Amino acid sequence: MKAWSLPAALCGAFLALSATARGQSLDERIDAIVVRMSLEEKILQLHGESNMSTADNVRLGVPGFLMDDGPHGVRNGTATSFPVGIGMAATWDPELAYRIGVAMGKEFRGKGRSMALGPALDLDRDPRNGRSPETGGEDQYLCARITTAVVQGMQSQPVLATIKHFAANHRENGRTSNNIVASRRTLEEHNGLPFRMAVQAGGAFSVMNAYNLINGEKSAENATLLTTILRDHWGFPYFVVSDWGSIWSAEKAIEAGCDLEMGSNLYGANLAYLVATGAVSVSTIDNAVRNILRTKLLSGVWGFLPPGDPADVNSQAHRWLCEEAARKSIVLLKNEGTMLPLNAGAVTNVAVIGPNAAVCRTDGSGSSWVEPAVSVSPLTGLQTLLGASKVSYLKGCDINSTDTSGFPAARTLARGADAVIFVGGLDPSQEGEGFDRVGGSIELPGKQQDLINALAAENSNVVAVMYSGGVCGLSRSIANVRSLLYAFYPGQESGTALAEILLGITNPSGRLPVTMPLNDGQLPAWNDDFTDDHGGGYRWFDQTRQIPRYAFGHGLSYSHFSYIGLTIAPSVIVPGGSALISCTITNTSSRDGDEVAQLYISDAATTHSNSVKQLKGIARVAVPAGQSVGVSFTIGSEELWYYDEFLSSFTVEPGRYRIFVGGASDDLPLQGELEVANTTAVPDLVLGSIRTVPAYPQTGQRVTFVATVRNVGAAATAASVPLKVSFRVDDALVAWSETPVGSIAPGGMIQVCATAGPNGPPEWTAAGEWTHQLSAVVDDNGRVDEGDEGNNGLGRTLSVYAAAKPNLAVWKRASATSSESTEYGPQRAVDGNMGTRWSSNFSDPQAIIMDLDSL
C-alpha cells in the first residue's frame, strides 16, 4: 500500500495556522483555510469525485464526503430495511422515528459512510406519484414532525443527513422538466414546512434540490429557493447538494446557491473558465466552499469522527426496532362485526391468498431501495405464530395482469377455510423512482379486486391486506371484505407484525398519513399548478365538501376511546405568545391500546385562510384498559403563522381560532376557541441546535461552542439589541456570545459562535472520557421582550473521547487498487468501489501530521 506525506514546509504552514486559530470565531477559522486554497482546490470541494464521494484535499488534509442512499436504510449491500417514509408517517410517532434515525445513523457509520442521502421530505399530493413510498404523507405538519425526528436521530450519530427533494417534487413522469407553479406562500408555508423544521429544529447538515423547475427555474438554479428562502429567511448555514445530474447550467447553479454538484461534472469542467471570464466571482466560489467546510467542521467529517461498528448493520436490536415500527404503522381501516382479531385457539384453517402473501414488500423501485439481509413475509409470519399446519397458501393472481388461471384453485381453498387473508397491493413494478403509478389510476391493479370478490363468494370471512406506498382504491371490492388492513411498506419484519395484529397479539394503532378517496374522480386535477388544489389531501376534500373512503388520520383499534375535558389556557394570547391545549382520553374497553390524538386549527374567520382546518398537533399515547390519560399540545405563533407575501414575512393575524381535538380528521369531538389579541406582536426566541468544534472532542482538546437561534414569535427582533447565548458544561458556565447579530424575522434563524469565556477565550478544555451535559440559553439576560420566556434553553449530551495521540490525527493516503485488507480509521475507509480514501496510520514515518484540534 502506497503512502506519501506533505512537504515539511506545508506542514509548518499548517501548524502556524493552528497557533493563530486559538480564540478565533468559527468563520475566521474557515476563512483562514479558504485563503490558503488555490482556485483548483476550491473547485474540487464543489463536485463529486465518484458517484458517491467527493475528493480529499491532500495538501491541506481536508477529507471528502462518503455517501450512500437511503431514506429508510443504507443502500449498500444488505442493511436493515426500515419502514419507508410514508410508513414511518403512518406511526404518527416522532419518538419512534427518532429511534429509527439513530439506528440508521449507526448502520451508515457501520458501513463506513459519513453522509446519508435521506430522508425524503416530499409531500404525497397524489397517491399515483411513483415516489409516494418515500414521502412523509400528505400533510406538511405530520411530515415535518416525523422527518425532523429522523434527522435528529441520524445526526445523533457521526453521520450527516441530507433532506430532499427541495422543493415541490410531486410526480415522477417528466420529473426533470416539470415546471411547478407555486406561490411564495406555498413554498414557505406548505411544501416548505418540513424543510424549514428539519433545517431549524433538526439541524440538518445538507439539503438536496429537486429535479423539477419552480416558476420557470430549475430547483438547482433557483436563487429564490436556495438563497432567498433557504439561507436569507430560514438561516440555513450548511451546504446544498444537487440531485444527481439535476444541474443544467453551472453558472446559474453556483450563483443560485447550489454548493456541491453530484452526478455530473459541469462544475469541474466550467467553473474555472467562468471565474477567469468574470461570469462567476471568486467570492461566489468562496462562499460555497465555506458552506462545505463549515459542515465538515461542525459534523466531524473534518476532525476525529468516531468509527462505526459493522456489527450495528442488520443487528438484532435493529430487527426488533423494525418490528416495533411495523406494528405501529399498520392501519386497521375496516373491521365489520369484529372480524378481527382471529381467535388463534379456534381457527384450524386459514387460507392466505394473493400476490403479496408470500413475499415481504419493503418499497417501490428506485434509489431508496434497501436490500434486507432477512425479511418476513405475511405467509411466514402467520405460519410461525399460528402453526404451518393451520395455514394454506395460493398466489391466486399477479399484481397486474389479466391472468385468472389461479382463480379456481384459490376459490376452492377459500371455501373450506375458517378465514381468508388476501394480501395484495403494489410492488416495484407498479410504483417507483422515474415513473408514476402504472395505469394512472388509484384502483388496485390487474385482477386483484376480481379475485377478492371471487373469494368472498366462497367465504364471507375475507380480510384484505394492502401493501403499497401510494394508497390503492378498492371501489369494486371493499363491500365484500369484512376487514381491511393497510401496510405502507412497513419494513423487513412486517410479516411478523401483521400476523400479531391478525391474531390479536398486537393491538393495531397505525393511522392514515393520507386520505383514501372513493375513486379517481374525487382527486383534483393532477398537474403542476399548486394553486388549484387547496394543498391537496384532506384540505381538498374539506374545501370541495367531498367524503372520502377513509379520512386522513383514520385508524381503528381493538380498544375504544373517548375524549373529554378540553381546556385552553390562556384562552387569549398576544401575537407571539402561546397556549396549552389539554384534554383527557379514556380507554372504555377491556384491552390496552394506543390512541393518536390529533389537534386541528381552523382559521376560517381570518382574512388569509386557505383551508377549512389544518393539523397542528399530534400525541400518540398508551392508554391502559379502563383508564384515562391526559394529553396536551402547545400552540404558539409557529402553529398560527401564515406567510404574508406583501410583507415577505410570517405573520399571526389577530382574531379567534377554532381548536378541534379527536382521533381523526373527520372525528373531532372536542372543540374550543383560542383568541389572539389585537396587541403589539412580540418575538419568541428558542435554540435550534448546539454544536461544538471539534464535533467529537478528545481529551485535552480545546472546544468552541456554536448554536443556532430561531425566532418562533410574531415579530422580528430589534437589530440594535445584542443577542446573548450562554453555554454550560455540567452546569458550569464555559463560554458565551453577546454581539449584535441583526434582526431575526419570524421563521428566521441565525448561527452564533461563542466569543468569550470566564478566562478570556471562548473555549473549554475537554476532560474526562465520559459523557457530559452541554446546555445553552438564549437571552438569559432578558434584553429581548418575548412571548414566552420559559422556552429559551436547550440541552444535549457531549461525549469526550480518548486521543490516540494528544491533539494529533495522522493520515495516510491509501491506494484503491491495493489488495490489502480494508482498514477503517477515524475518517475514511479504503474502498475499492469508491476510490482512494484516508485511513488512520500512526506508525508510518512519512505520515501527514496535522493539528486538527486547532480547527
Side-chain angles (χ1 to χ4, degrees):
M1 184 178 292
K2 296 179 180 178
W4 52 291
S5 63
L6 290 174
L10 290 178
C11 286
F14 198 91
L15 293 173
L17 169 62
S18 304
T20 61
R22 297 173 183 176
Q24 288 183 326
S25 70
L26 174 65
D27 285 343
E28 288 172 336
R29 298 181 188 198
I30 293 169
D31 289 343
I33 303 301
V34 173
V35 75
R36 284 164 171 77
M37 285 184 169
S38 66
L39 178 61
E40 180 184 7
E41 288 175 317
K42 293 173 184 177
I43 293 173
L44 281 173
Q45 292 288 312
L46 307 182
H47 63 85
E49 177 186 46
S50 73
N51 192 50
M52 286 288 172
S53 69
T54 64
D56 305 315
N57 182 314
V58 177
R59 185 176 71 87
L60 295 177
V62 182
F65 295 116
L66 271 176
M67 315 169 188
D68 264 323
D69 285 307
H72 66 110
V74 190
R75 188 187 178 215
N76 181 333
T78 61
T80 306
S81 183
F82 291 99
V84 296
I86 200 168
M88 292 189 209
T91 70
W92 291 62
D93 191 341
E95 187 275 335
L96 174 61
Y98 175 85
R99 288 188 284 128
I100 291 173
V102 172
M104 288 169 57
K106 288 182 177 180
E107 296 210 8
F108 273 92
R109 283 304 295 147
K111 294 278 190 178
R113 289 341 188 219
S114 59
M115 182 173 168
L117 303 177
L121 277 57
D122 307 318
L123 298 179
D124 197 28
R125 295 177 73 96
D126 192 296
R128 296 165 295 186
N129 173 16
R131 294 183 90 168
S132 289
E134 295 182 55
T135 71
E138 73 184 29
D139 178 76
Q140 71 266 34
Y141 178 84
L142 176 63
C143 178
R145 288 291 306 275
I146 297 298
T147 55
T148 296
V150 173
V151 168
Q152 291 170 329
M154 291 177 73
Q155 293 190 167
S156 72
Q157 305 303 305
V159 170
L160 287 74
T162 302
I163 55 176
K164 61 184 186 180
H165 307 87
F166 191 55
N169 179 63
H170 81 120
R171 62 189 182 116
E172 289 300 286
N173 292 346
R175 65 175 179 165
T176 62
S177 57
N178 293 333
N179 181 27
I180 306 301
V181 177
S183 66
R184 175 72 180 270
R185 180 177 179 182
T186 295
L187 297 175
E188 290 266 9
E189 186 180 319
H190 189 78
N191 288 77
L193 176 62
F195 288 92
R196 181 175 61 79
M197 290 301 294
V199 162
Q200 295 184 343
F205 277 123
S206 177
V207 175
M208 181 189 293
N209 65 256
Y211 279 111
N212 51 268
L213 291 76
I214 297 179
N215 300 325
E217 292 286 349
K218 287 282 287 182
S219 292
E221 302 166 9
N222 195 313
T224 299
L225 192 67
L226 302 185
T227 296
T228 305
I229 295 176
L230 182 61
R231 294 197 185 279
D232 296 344
H233 188 192
W234 298 350
F236 178 61
Y238 304 116
F239 75 97
V240 173
V241 57
S242 74
D243 205 342
W244 270 232
S246 65
I247 292 176
W248 288 354
S249 165
E251 180 181 351
K252 287 184 177 180
I254 195 70
E255 291 285 359
C258 185
D259 305 301
L260 175 61
E261 178 196 20
M262 294 298 295
S264 53
N265 193 36
L266 296 178
Y267 279 12
N270 296 298
L271 285 184
Y273 173 78
L274 291 170
V275 171
T277 59
V280 172
S281 67
V282 173
S283 64
T284 296
I285 302 295
D286 288 351
N287 284 337
V289 174
R290 288 188 187 98
N291 293 333
I292 289 173
L293 293 182
R294 183 180 299 111
T295 307
K296 288 179 177 180
L297 286 172
L298 287 170
S299 67
V301 166
W302 192 4
F304 169 68
L305 198 65
D309 183 354
D312 284 332
V313 182
N314 301 308
S315 70
Q316 184 60 57
H318 292 176
R319 288 194 62 186
W320 286 332
L321 177 61
C322 193
E323 189 175 301
E324 177 190 352
R327 291 190 192 104
K328 292 182 175 180
S329 72
I330 295 174
V331 188
L332 178 61
L333 295 175
K334 178 182 180 181
N335 197 23
E336 185 180 278
T338 62
M339 171 70 192
L340 295 178
L342 300 176
N343 186 338
V347 296
T348 59
N349 184 3
V350 175
V352 181
I353 300 170
N356 280 341
V359 62
C360 182
R361 297 293 182 201
T362 58
D363 199 354
S365 64
S367 59
S368 69
W369 179 264
V370 178
E371 189 65 35
V374 295
S375 63
V376 183
S377 70
L379 176 62
T380 300
L382 275 169
Q383 289 173 331
T384 301
L385 294 182
L386 195 57
S389 64
K390 295 182 179 181
V391 180
S392 304
Y393 162 73
L394 283 173
K395 182 179 179 181
C397 71
D398 299 321
I399 287 287
N400 191 359
S401 78
T402 59
D403 183 9
T404 60
S405 61
F407 279 30
R411 294 182 68 153
T412 300
L413 187 64
R415 191 177 306 131
D418 298 319
V420 178
I421 312 298
F422 175 86
V423 189
L426 304 178
D427 69 5
S429 72
Q430 302 300 298
E431 61 180 349
E433 184 174 358
F435 66 98
D436 291 318
R437 180 82 65 87
V438 173
S441 171
I442 69 166
E443 288 297 317
L444 195 60
K447 293 296 182 178
Q448 292 186 64
Q449 292 197 72
D450 293 332
L451 180 55
I452 291 172
N453 293 336
L455 298 174
E458 303 294 340
N459 190 322
S460 61
N461 295 325
V462 176
V463 176
V465 181
M466 295 295 112
Y467 274 74
S468 73
V471 72
C472 292
L474 292 87
S475 64
R476 296 189 296 105
S477 60
I478 186 70
N480 293 324
V481 300
R482 291 187 61 189
S483 296
L484 174 63
L485 285 155
Y486 221 99
F488 292 94
Y489 296 137
Q492 66 182 43
E493 309 294 330
S494 66
T496 300
L498 176 63
E500 290 178 354
I501 290 172
L502 291 170
L503 299 175
I505 299 169
T506 292
N507 198 343
S509 57
R511 299 294 184 266
L512 279 180
V514 291
T515 303
M516 179 185 284
L518 287 171
N519 49 49
D520 294 336
Q522 285 195 317
L523 293 170
W526 196 15
N527 55 36
D528 294 329
D529 187 351
F530 278 28
T531 68
D532 66 358
D533 64 355
H534 307 289
Y538 67 89
R539 292 170 174 81
W540 166 261
F541 281 82
D542 284 347
Q543 288 282 6
T544 57
R545 300 180 182 273
Q546 297 184 90
I547 299 176
R549 177 77 64 194
Y550 297 110
F552 172 77
H554 172 71
L556 301 176
S557 169
Y558 298 150
S559 304
H560 303 284
F561 305 98
S562 65
Y563 287 73
I564 61 171
L566 182 70
T567 62
I568 302 174
S571 59
V572 180
I573 61 174
V574 300
S578 62
L580 187 68
I581 316 295
S582 303
C583 70
T584 299
I585 301 175
T586 300
N587 184 339
T588 60
S589 71
S590 60
R591 175 157 189 166
D592 297 347
D594 281 12
E595 172 66 333
V596 177
Q598 304 166 36
L599 183 148
Y600 295 80
I601 295 179
S602 172
D603 54 4
T606 62
T607 60
H608 67 270
S609 175
N610 63 1
S611 59
V612 174
K613 64 179 182 291
Q614 298 190 73
L615 180 70
K616 293 296 180 179
I618 59 176
R620 184 184 176 114
V621 291
V623 189
Q627 296 187 31
S628 301
V629 299
V631 298
S632 60
F633 312 86
T634 298
I635 299 299
S637 292
E638 196 166 19
E639 289 73 38
L640 301 174
W641 279 336
Y642 76 97
Y643 188 80
D644 189 317
E645 294 186 328
F646 178 76
L647 297 175
S648 298
S649 176
F650 282 116
T651 304
V652 175
E653 185 173 1
R656 296 180 177 180
Y657 295 78
R658 296 291 294 171
I659 306 295
F660 303 89
V661 178
S665 63
D666 65 344
D667 182 18
L668 302 168
L670 301 184
Q671 299 183 28
E673 194 172 84
L674 173 65
E675 182 179 352
V676 177
N678 191 10
T679 58
T680 302
V682 293
D684 185 18
L685 300 178
V686 299
L687 290 168
S689 63
I690 317 169
R691 303 200 185 279
T692 62
V693 180
Y696 300 95
Q698 296 171 284
T699 301
Q701 286 187 312
R702 299 180 305 279
V703 180
T704 298
F705 302 93
V706 178
T708 53
V709 181
R710 304 170 57 209
N711 182 0
V712 297
T717 60
S720 60
V721 178
L723 187 65
K724 184 177 181 182
V725 178
S726 300
F727 300 89
R728 288 174 170 81
V729 175
D730 298 331
D731 292 329
L733 181 65
V734 293
W736 60 84
S737 172
E738 189 172 11
T739 57
V741 295
S743 178
I744 310 174
M749 183 178 76
I750 59 159
Q751 187 175 71
V752 298
C753 182
T755 57
N759 299 315
E763 299 170 340
W764 170 73
T765 300
E769 295 164 23
W770 58 73
T771 299
H772 301 265
Q773 294 301 313
L774 172 61
S775 62
V777 178
V778 60
D779 192 41
D780 56 349
N781 57 1
R783 297 189 65 179
V784 179
D785 182 20
E786 298 184 67
D788 185 347
E789 299 287 355
N791 60 358
N792 290 14
L794 185 66
R796 50 159 284 200
T797 58
L798 176 64
S799 296
V800 174
Y801 296 82
K805 279 190 176 182
N807 303 331
L808 295 179
V810 186
W811 306 102
K812 178 174 71 177
R813 190 70 168 178
S815 168
T817 59
S818 171
S819 61
E820 297 182 48
S821 61
T822 299
E823 299 178 24
Y824 291 92
Q827 273 293 330
R828 317 196 75 180
V830 182
D831 186 334
N833 295 323
M834 300 297 294
T836 53
R837 296 291 171 263
W838 294 99
S839 62
S840 61
N841 185 309
F842 294 99
S843 61
D844 188 340
Q846 306 236 338
I848 306 168
I849 300 177
M850 303 172 214
D851 186 354
L852 294 179
D853 174 31
S854 68
L855 297 177

